[in-house]
Amino acid sequence: MTLLPPHGMADSLVAEVRAALQPQRLLQTAVALVEVPSPTRQARAVADRLAELLQEDGFQVERPEAGWRESPAVACRYAAGLPGRTLQFNGHLDTVHLPFVPPRVDDGVLFGSGASDMKGGIAAAVEALRILRDTGLLRHGTVLLTAHDLHESPWGDGSQLDCLIDAGYVGDGVLLPEYLADRLPLAGRGMAVLRVRVSRPGEPVHEVLGGAEQPSVIAAGAELVRRLVALDGRLRAEAHPLAGRASVFIGRVASGEIYNQAPVEFVLEGTRRWLPGTAPAAVRDEFQRLLAEVAAASGTQIEGEFALGRDAFEIAPEDPLVQAFQTAYVAVCGAPLPVGAKPFVDDGNSFVSRGRVPAITHGPQALGAHTVNERVPLAELERIAVVYALTALAFCRAEQPA
């Protein structure tokens, strides 16, 4: 499915935005961010670096703690002066906990920790902000740039972004430069991480010394797996035209130390994903009821954690942000971006579900996220900077909604 924008952009406008792009400045910004290690919960130094870069460029910068004083967020507003919408560029500065890889450029590709996820994208958003300022083309509305910590799980929980949204750091629409470039994601599933511990009183004991008579945590765990697999089968009937189907996934089970010992613990980890229109609380309650039933039938104790990642979301195809983005995308790439689903959960889900504003995840076609081989073509960072600047021009010029 492809959505056609209602109006095009003047070639002269697109040419002026392209001419204002400074590839070397963009690269220097990306390198300056990548060269600062910033594993989740330790992003203060790179947040300070971003704030310094923006201040050196003449932008006014705020540093809201947003519930995480160890690494205050970064917020920067560029206002045109005349009334209009606010477009927000949002990104996370933290990276997954892997060995740090310093930045290097090879054959037009930037390598290094966070290059693809998502310091390169943030650098492109900063360049878009500079383009709008340097050209003076933005005459209506405001562009809000925000960057934060606590994104990557399991180390972060998204709470700093939640606090930013609750404190009003949210636009009328949001662009997020995550590494999704092949589709315009108008819907996505919600996700929670499931962690279960099945246990029994006492100590591990030999099979023939009473172990066989103990409540079996493995049998209870097996029944739990069976019921979760059956639930996944039933969920196949719940499908969304874009987001796909609801699901249960089991990724890890573990129990026991030796073949003839009755263990005292069985653990299970997995995910539960649901569709737009489904309340996370209802999904959680269903999970807890299933655990209680297995515990009662098996004589074991079962503790379950339903760790909410992000809620499901859906954006209307006719939303002004979608139309503005497609207009900009066509101007840069020559054809509309096909509509599809977001395969993962990210901060965009939170903006839609918590902030009640449309949010589009679109970033460079980058590779190696969550590995030690992150890489992003510099041409892709340049493309994102131009698309973001043009989207702002199309979106912000309209009057702010009442």
Side-chain angles (χ1 to χ4, degrees), residues 332-363:
V332 174
C333 301
L337 187 61
V339 169
K342 188 188 297 181
F344 47 74
V345 296
D346 70 359
D347 294 332
N349 296 57
S350 295
F351 278 107
V352 178
S353 62
R354 192 181 190 97
R356 305 300 179 188
V357 296
I360 293 175
T361 295
H362 181 77

Side-chain angles (χ1 to χ4, degrees), residues 7-242:
H7 307 291
M9 281 189 158
D11 291 343
S12 59
L13 176 65
V14 177
E16 188 172 355
V17 168
R18 287 186 183 276
L21 171 74
Q22 295 186 30
Q24 189 60 31
R25 178 177 65 181
L26 170 53
L27 173 59
Q28 290 173 349
T29 300
V31 169
L33 298 178
V34 172
E35 69 183 4
V36 181
S38 57
T40 301
R41 305 183 72 85
Q42 302 172 47
R44 174 185 283 272
V46 73
D48 291 346
R49 174 68 60 86
L50 175 59
E52 291 166 1
L53 291 171
L54 290 166
Q55 288 167 338
E56 289 170 1
D57 256 338
F59 293 106
Q60 296 294 315
V61 176
E62 301 173 54
R63 300 300 305 276
E65 288 187 358
W68 185 238
R69 66 176 57 185
E70 287 79 359
S71 177
V74 178
C76 172
R77 299 178 192 270
Y78 173 64
L82 295 176
R85 296 190 181 99
T86 295
L87 179 62
Q88 184 172 3
F89 303 154
N90 179 79
H92 66 87
L93 290 162
D94 56 313
T95 63
V96 295
H97 288 218
L98 290 173
F100 176 70
V101 178
R104 65 181 175 87
V105 178
D106 186 6
D107 195 24
V109 177
L110 172 64
F111 294 79
S113 296
S116 62
D117 187 19
M118 58 183 298
K119 294 178 180 180
I122 291 175
V126 171
E127 183 64 18
L129 195 65
R130 291 164 170 157
I131 290 171
L132 295 169
R133 189 270 313 274
D134 294 348
T135 61
L137 290 171
L138 187 71
R139 298 184 177 91
H140 293 263
T142 301
V143 174
L144 167 64
L145 174 74
T146 51
H148 52 85
D149 193 359
L150 300 185
H151 170 85
E152 299 290 2
S153 63
W155 313 278
D157 58 4
S159 60
Q160 189 173 39
L161 175 65
D162 290 346
C163 287
L164 283 173
I165 293 173
D166 294 346
Y169 290 91
V170 57
D172 299 304
V174 187
L175 295 180
L176 303 100
E178 287 274 16
Y179 49 94
L180 184 65
D182 65 348
R183 72 198 75 172
L184 173 52
L186 296 187
R189 298 179 295 175
M191 189 274 287
V193 176
L194 308 180
R195 299 185 181 94
V196 179
R197 179 177 179 266
V198 182
S199 63
R200 66 166 177 83
E203 299 179 351
V205 62
H206 192 290
E207 166 200 358
V208 301
L209 297 179
E213 282 71 49
Q214 297 294 323
S216 174
V217 296
I218 292 179
E223 174 62 13
L224 180 60
V225 169
R226 186 192 70 78
R227 293 199 184 196
L228 289 173
V229 169
L231 173 59
D232 182 67
R234 295 193 298 275
L235 290 173
R236 291 179 183 274
E238 297 183 19
H240 184 279
L242 283 181

